[in-house]
Amino acid sequence: MVNDVGAALDGSGGSEGPAGDVVEEIRAAGGEAVADGEDVADWGGAGRLVAHAVEEFGRLDVLVNNAGILRDRMLVSLDEAEWDAVLRVHLKGHAAPLHHAAAYWRSQGKAGHRVDARVINTSSGAGLLGSVGQGSYSTAKAGILGLTLVAAAELARYRVTVNAIAPAARTRMTERAFAEAMAAPDGGFDAMAPENVSPLVVWLGSAESAEVTGRVFEVDGGRIVVADGWRPGPSVDQGRRWSPGELGAVLPELLAKAAPPEPVYGS
Ligand SMILES: NC(=O)c1ccc[n+]([C@@H]2O[C@H](COP(=O)([O-])OP(=O)(O)OC[C@H]3O[C@@H](n4cnc5c(N)ncnc54)[C@H](O)[C@@H]3O)[C@@H](O)[C@H]2O)c1
């Protein structure tokens, strides 16, 4: 089931274009596929998408949340409607299909069917490290990481794994923004080809990845990196409340022991 609302890069418009094209490619390669044009950030639309997949194929095994739009702005130039649109498509566009798929898998389990299902969410380096000029996008993509951790913990009991990827590839989303870095080489390995990302998504959707959940992978070209998330660093506990005046003597020392933060993209 290939879903795409057919939106322009800024989220406007709608046609069956991208989903229809992918369906044709899958069929030409000998596979079976059906296009769906629901808006995944519409709660009811996401429900109809899950129902459509089950109706067409008799079951649902893997959900890949991937829809996204960009409205890049510096924070001083933020536009409220653009902020809402970016958070809606990325965050609600992940949460809504996840909710409906999870409800389907729970009902399958209750009916005595063996569930062994996968969810792959799409974050970004912008969500992991932040990206200058992409406040709304970075916020949404960081939110997807939080959602992934919670979903992995909540859905383990239904035998559903939930992982996230942070890809980088030449697509219509990036071809203008990062034209130079994304350009195809004259010959040799095309590190920015989007199909470099697909094998990891296929593996995370397969039976082999049953024990992998709550993980985040950066993937581009031939590179796959397990992202090491927030974890406790150096700490101090004096067993009673600190006064602000005491902290000046303690916090610089604590920060000196901590790993320096990774640079924000574009900074
Ligand atoms: N290309 C990269 O380098 C890169 C880097 C990091 C993250 N990502 C993420 O990868 C995902 C795919 O992006 P892409 O690079 O292939 O760009 P893309 O613009 O080609 O694909 C995104 C698709 O999402 C669809 N879409 C938008 N709103 C939708 C909605 N409400 N319901 C259903 N479909 C909707 C669009 O029509 C579009 O076809 C996005 O989540 C993006 O943020 C991409």
Side-chain angles (χ1 to χ4, degrees), residues 4-5 7 39-40 66 122-123 137 141 167-169 171-174:
D4 198 298
V5 77
D39 173 356
V40 290
N66 189 245
T122 308
S123 183
Y137 183 73
K141 289 307 202 185
T171 65
R172 66 177 179 160
M173 187 180 274
T174 52

Side-chain angles (χ1 to χ4, degrees), residues 242-249:
W242 295 91
S243 75
E246 289 172 314
L247 290 177

Side-chain angles (χ1 to χ4, degrees), residues 44-59:
R48 288 189 294 276
L49 165 61
V50 169
H52 191 187
V54 173
E55 184 189 305
E56 291 283 349
F57 296 98
R59 53 190 286 168

Side-chain angles (χ1 to χ4, degrees), residues 9-10 41 67-72 80-93 134-141 144:
L9 205 51
D10 67 358
I69 61 168
L70 282 182
R71 303 274 182 100
D72 291 352
E80 184 183 359
E82 289 180 344
W83 173 273
D84 287 348
V86 171
L87 265 69
R88 176 182 181 275
V89 168
H90 289 278
L91 279 184
K92 208 165 163 189
Q134 296 195 304
S136 56
Y137 183 73
S138 301
T139 301
K141 289 307 202 185
I144 287 168

Side-chain angles (χ1 to χ4, degrees), residues 29-154:
E32 270 179 72
V34 176
D36 180 281
E38 292 288 351
D39 173 356
V40 290
D42 179 279
W43 211 258
R48 288 189 294 276
L49 165 61
V50 169
H52 191 187
V54 173
E55 184 189 305
E56 291 283 349
F57 296 98
R59 53 190 286 168
L60 178 66
D61 298 299
V62 184
L63 167 68
V64 180
N65 285 315
N66 189 245
I69 61 168
L70 282 182
R71 303 274 182 100
D72 291 352
R73 296 263 184 195
M74 289 295 187
L75 289 171
V76 292
S77 315
L78 272 190
D79 173 283
E80 184 183 359
E82 289 180 344
W83 173 273
D84 287 348
V86 171
L87 265 69
R88 176 182 181 275
V89 168
H90 289 278
L91 279 184
K92 208 165 163 189
H94 269 64
L98 186 52
H99 160 71
H100 290 289
Y104 164 77
W105 285 318
R106 184 184 59 179
S107 72
Q108 289 296 101
K110 277 193 176 163
H113 302 296
R114 188 176 180 281
V115 174
D116 185 21
R118 308 279 176 269
V119 177
I120 297 110
N121 292 332
T122 308
S123 183
S124 164
L128 291 166
L129 300 181
S131 176
V132 170
Q134 296 195 304
S136 56
Y137 183 73
S138 301
T139 301
K141 289 307 202 185
I144 287 168
L145 297 174
L147 182 65
T148 300
L149 300 181
V150 174
E154 287 190 5

